[in-house]
Amino acid sequence: MRNRIVIAFSILLCILWSTSCRKDFEYAPSNGNLSFSKDTVYLDTVFASIGSSTYTLKVFNDTKDDIIIPNISLKNGHESFYRLNVDGVAGKEFSDIPIYAKDSLFILIETTISIIDGSIKELLYTDAIQFDKEPFQQSVELVTLAKDAIFLYPKGNPEIETEIINLYTDEAGNPINISGFELKDEELYFTNSKPFVIYGYAIIPDEKELIIEAGARIHFHKNSGIYVKDGAKLIVNGTLSEDNIALEGEVIFEGDRLEPEFAETPGQWGGLWISNGSSNNSINHLTIKNAEIGLFVGGLSNDTETTFILANSQIYNNTRYNLWTKNAKLEATNLVLGNAGSSSLLIENGGNYTFIHSTIANYWNKGFRYNTALEIKNDSQEIGFDLVKADFKNCIIDGNRQNEISLITDNQNSFNFNFLNCFIKYTQNETSSPLNYLYDFTNSELYSDIILNGEVDYFLTTKNDFRIGLDSDVIDKGDLDTANYSPLDILGTQRIPAPDLGAFQAIEKE
């Protein structure tokens, strides 16, 4: 009896094993019955020679039969600039791809496009993914716009030496070093004929100056930027744009990913760094966005020349600071310092500063922010220096925290600041602090005609659009003498005789 049970059980196992391991499933041919998630896959604009993001196409079998696709290939064959990945296998041509009934498969698509003809600025490149052969062939079109660019990077040329530079030491005491290469003389003038793409830190050598003309577009790869050495100089000659969409006169510093999903992604590149000892730098109509630190300006305590003149410019959406200065001598007019992961403006370790008709407004929404929009301090671990002057005239200091101004002195070095006709968001009473006098808004030696809180009526803070509407509490609140120093706002609008606070004159919302 026991043997019979064993024999019966063994036969049952064999039957189950044979049915579960069958490999003779029958597939029907596709016969042109596939459907797709898209008729055309548009891969967003890329720079020539830079890889795109990965795009997805879903292929559906809506029939009741398991089918097999005899062939999936690119129309341009193995010479195509596109690359495919079909259900986890990379290549440009695939054979006998099965899809079960009512099931689907994924195709991942990437591209890296080369432009051989140097006279071509843009190339609209097309191809197609073909499924099966005629007469049942189906296809999905692929379209990508590639832009030609001027690439600057260490090219392995012995004449181009890679240099390691220590930028700063972070809060944890870790040195932050960058790898850079010096620009050659013929590379020290950036035109607007083609975009520039920089890999690594482009270093402006001692006694040299980099001039950037109006309308230039400068793109930076990850961990890249511009470093201005001691004795070197940066001149950005942007101009007022007539078209607020094309921004034909604006100079723009941003990352090298052109896809829409990267348009507002912070931290894509390093930043613009002005080292101690560099002087007479000037910037007009420049936008810096999506970096780690937008602009750092260092200075020397005995420097009698102006370190930096900054006008009609916007710096925003940077993971740490938009503008970070140490012991510099800086003059800013019509400056917008928008959203940042830390302070929009950090002034530390002394210096000499004047900000006129500037908007410093931090509505960061990509994580928690500990620091105020404006932070001025002399309590760093470095040797203390005097804050000779920090004047803010006809400015806005605002954000999505209770208090957006922080003043910290070491009580040893001079700490001179003054706010004239400014909007300052400050709602928390600091009466318990021994440094309460720093926030005594009734002290006319420190504060004159200040608006504490109220409605500024921005256009759209989440998009760093800090234009102001007609319901703003800062309309007509500017000091006229100060406005005469800068009679036009950042968009070229006349602000005399009734100046509003900040970089923009109020207009009706669109």
Side-chain angles (χ1 to χ4, degrees), residues 183 187-190 204 209-212 226 233-235:
L183 295 172
E187 297 172 328
L188 290 171
Y189 191 85
F190 289 5
I204 307 175
E209 67 178 23
L210 171 62
I211 298 176
I212 303 178
I226 291 178
K233 185 189 306 184
L234 173 67
I235 307 294

Side-chain angles (χ1 to χ4, degrees), residues 10-115:
S10 299
I11 293 172
L12 178 61
L13 285 178
C14 289
I15 293 172
L16 292 173
W17 179 84
S18 62
T19 56
S20 64
C21 296
R22 283 183 59 190
K23 299 181 180 179
D24 57 347
F25 290 114
E26 293 184 359
Y27 291 94
S30 60
N31 288 342
N33 293 320
L34 301 171
S35 60
F36 309 98
S37 58
K38 302 172 186 175
D39 294 327
T40 302
V41 179
Y42 295 96
L43 285 77
D44 293 300
T45 304
V46 296
F47 284 118
S49 303
I50 294 181
S52 70
S53 295
T54 301
Y55 295 78
T56 302
L57 174 69
K58 200 170 183 180
V59 184
F60 300 96
N61 172 17
D62 296 323
T63 72
K64 297 180 180 179
D65 299 318
D66 299 334
I67 66 173
I68 193 161
I69 307 172
N71 180 267
I72 299 176
S73 62
L74 289 161
K75 182 179 179 180
N76 293 343
H78 289 279
E79 301 301 317
S80 175
F81 288 134
Y82 291 104
R83 302 180 297 276
L84 304 180
N85 188 301
V86 177
D87 266 1
V89 179
K92 297 193 177 185
E93 186 171 3
F94 308 84
S95 300
D96 298 330
I97 305 299
I99 311 182
Y100 297 125
K102 302 296 183 181
D103 203 352
S104 61
L105 67 84
F106 284 95
I107 297 180
L108 305 181
I109 308 160
E110 297 177 345
T111 186
T112 303
I113 298 174
S114 298
I115 297 180

Side-chain angles (χ1 to χ4, degrees), residues 95-329:
S95 300
D96 298 330
I97 305 299
I99 311 182
Y100 297 125
K102 302 296 183 181
D103 203 352
S104 61
L105 67 84
F106 284 95
I107 297 180
L108 305 181
I109 308 160
E110 297 177 345
T111 186
T112 303
I113 298 174
S114 298
I115 297 180
I116 306 301
D117 187 346
S119 65
I120 298 176
K121 293 184 179 180
E122 293 184 349
L123 173 66
L124 187 65
Y125 185 73
T126 61
D127 200 345
I129 306 175
Q130 296 180 329
F131 300 84
D132 209 339
K133 303 291 185 181
E134 294 294 351
F136 303 115
Q137 188 175 85
Q138 296 175 269
S139 64
V140 173
E141 300 296 316
L142 304 175
V143 180
T144 308
L145 178 65
K147 290 187 175 184
D148 193 14
I150 298 170
F151 292 86
L152 299 175
Y153 57 94
K155 303 176 179 67
N157 188 328
E159 296 180 0
I160 304 176
E161 295 184 0
T162 300
E163 184 174 348
I164 304 300
I165 295 175
N166 174 249
L167 290 184
Y168 63 98
T169 301
D170 66 14
E171 292 82 355
N174 302 311
I176 304 301
N177 299 321
I178 56 98
S179 175
F181 62 96
E182 289 196 350
L183 295 172
K184 296 182 290 187
D185 287 351
E186 61 268 26
E187 297 172 328
L188 290 171
Y189 191 85
F190 289 5
T191 70
N192 59 21
S193 59
K194 291 181 181 180
F196 285 76
V197 181
I198 295 177
Y199 281 73
Y201 271 77
I203 299 172
I204 307 175
D206 291 334
E207 309 304 324
K208 301 289 185 178
E209 67 178 23
L210 171 62
I211 298 176
I212 303 178
E213 74 175 20
R217 300 291 186 262
I218 319 301
H219 299 264
F220 299 88
H221 197 61
K222 187 174 179 61
N223 299 322
S224 300
I226 291 178
Y227 183 86
V228 184
K229 273 191 167 183
D230 297 354
K233 185 189 306 184
L234 173 67
I235 307 294
V236 177
N237 292 323
T239 59
L240 180 65
S241 299
E242 294 182 4
D243 187 330
N244 287 332
I245 297 177
L247 294 174
E248 75 285 351
E250 189 83 358
V251 175
I252 300 178
F253 286 8
E254 59 182 323
D256 65 350
R257 301 307 299 265
L258 303 182
E259 300 92 330
E261 60 264 32
F262 289 93
E264 297 176 15
T265 301
Q268 295 179 48
W269 58 287
L272 172 57
W273 201 271
I274 312 298
S275 64
N276 301 341
S278 173
S279 60
N280 295 315
N281 299 276
S282 69
I283 283 177
N284 195 21
H285 286 286
L286 170 66
T287 295
I288 302 175
K289 58 183 179 179
N290 301 336
E292 295 175 9
I293 295 171
L295 171 61
F296 172 85
V297 182
L300 299 174
S301 59
N302 57 355
D303 195 349
T304 58
E305 297 183 359
T306 299
T307 309
F308 219 96
I309 295 177
L310 186 56
N312 305 305
S313 295
Q314 301 190 58
I315 310 176
Y316 57 81
N317 208 39
N318 301 296
T319 50
R320 296 196 68 196
Y321 310 111
N322 290 325
L323 174 57
W324 178 16
T325 72
K326 280 189 177 184
N327 202 23
K329 187 175 183 181

